[in-house]
Amino acid sequence: MASCGQSGAAAEAASLDGHETAKGRTGEPVRALLRLAGLALYYSRAALSEHGGISIGPSHLLLGLLNADAAIGRVLTPPPALQVLSECIVSAISSPG
């Protein structure tokens, strides 16, 4: 369904870009989650490059999440636990099985 002179494909792309659903726009929470997911994948790829492997695995994704969102660090107590957790994951990646 084209609007304001947009072609069908352009209108559909604009709708998908705005995360429109049958009930309307989903808003900021979805954009924030998409941003976090993108950052987590970015850092997961960086962990893969830095620590080795042929594909992104659960350990790479966990490292990506830990690097992407500082709020996760507030859940772990005491705060140094975040660094210790990251080091344990890196050592698991470096010496699998």
Side-chain angles (χ1 to χ4, degrees), residues 56-86:
I56 295 175
S59 299
H60 298 107
L61 286 172
L62 185 54
L63 279 172
L65 277 171
L66 291 174
N67 287 320
D69 190 11
I72 292 174
R74 291 190 293 266
V75 175
L76 301 173
T77 53
L82 185 62
Q83 181 62 32
V84 171
L85 180 58
S86 292

Side-chain angles (χ1 to χ4, degrees), residues 3-81:
S3 62
C4 299
Q6 291 180 326
S7 70
E12 183 178 342
S15 153
L16 292 174
D17 185 54
H19 311 294
E20 211 163 305
T21 65
K23 294 183 179 182
R25 290 183 166 260
T26 56
E28 289 302 314
V30 171
R31 284 190 210 113
L33 287 174
L34 288 172
R35 181 182 165 277
L36 177 61
L39 282 172
L41 284 174
Y42 171 82
Y43 287 118
S44 297
R45 283 187 227 119
L48 177 69
S49 295
E50 185 175 341
H51 305 293
I54 56 171
S55 63
I56 295 175
S59 299
H60 298 107
L61 286 172
L62 185 54
L63 279 172
L65 277 171
L66 291 174
N67 287 320
D69 190 11
I72 292 174
R74 291 190 293 266
V75 175
L76 301 173
T77 53

